[in-house]
Amino acid sequence: MSRQHLRINRFGFAEYEDMSELSRQVNISDLVEVLGSIVEFVFSEETEFLDSMTDEAQANFVVPLGMSAKMLSSGEYSAMEFVSAACAVRFCAEPHMVEFPDELARMLSRLPR
């Protein structure tokens, strides 16, 4: 199945046609909570998780997560923009999830694809 690319949104995430339907089906408040928890876990100085990541995982996963953190802190985003960010974070994390602590992997698996 081919995905129809719609645009790159103002936060830098690609939006696809199928995300429109997904953004109507998911509970955005729940996703905000999950993504916020992921941001806190990864960027927390207490866990020092960021320093323990491989360079490849940092390059692939931390950049979209940081973009998502910025979006979350602004608090001004549409459902489509948020779903696009959540999907990008999960997509970029998936190749590295075996390296991540179980708690983080569980949170990431709650994000949409």
Side-chain angles (χ1 to χ4, degrees):
M1 182 171 102
S2 172
R3 293 180 80 189
Q4 179 66 37
H5 178 261
L6 297 177
R7 68 186 184 118
I8 301 295
N9 66 35
R10 62 192 166 123
F11 296 104
F13 295 105
E15 293 180 358
Y16 296 89
E17 196 172 76
D18 59 345
M19 288 179 180
S20 179
E21 180 66 27
L22 184 59
S23 67
R24 289 189 293 273
Q25 293 175 352
V26 298
N27 183 322
I28 297 298
S29 297
D30 288 347
L31 284 181
V32 167
E33 185 178 323
V34 171
L35 191 56
S37 295
I38 293 167
V39 166
E40 286 178 31
F41 184 93
V42 172
F43 293 118
S44 170
E45 292 179 16
E46 295 168 12
T47 64
E48 297 180 6
F49 174 70
L50 192 58
D51 293 334
S52 71
M53 294 175 69
T54 65
D55 291 343
E56 185 179 358
Q58 285 186 24
N60 294 342
F61 169 61
V62 174
V63 171
L65 186 62
M67 293 166 55
S68 297
K70 192 172 191 175
M71 184 186 74
L72 282 169
S73 69
S74 80
E76 296 179 17
Y77 46 82
S78 69
M80 178 77 139
E81 289 169 331
F82 189 82
V83 166
S84 177
C87 289
V89 167
R90 180 166 179 171
F91 178 82
C92 293
E94 283 186 338
H96 308 284
M97 284 175 63
V98 295
E99 305 168 31
F100 295 166
D102 290 342
E103 178 184 1
L104 179 58
R106 276 192 298 277
M107 287 188 284
L108 287 162
S109 69
R110 293 180 57 199
L111 297 178
R113 290 184 179 187

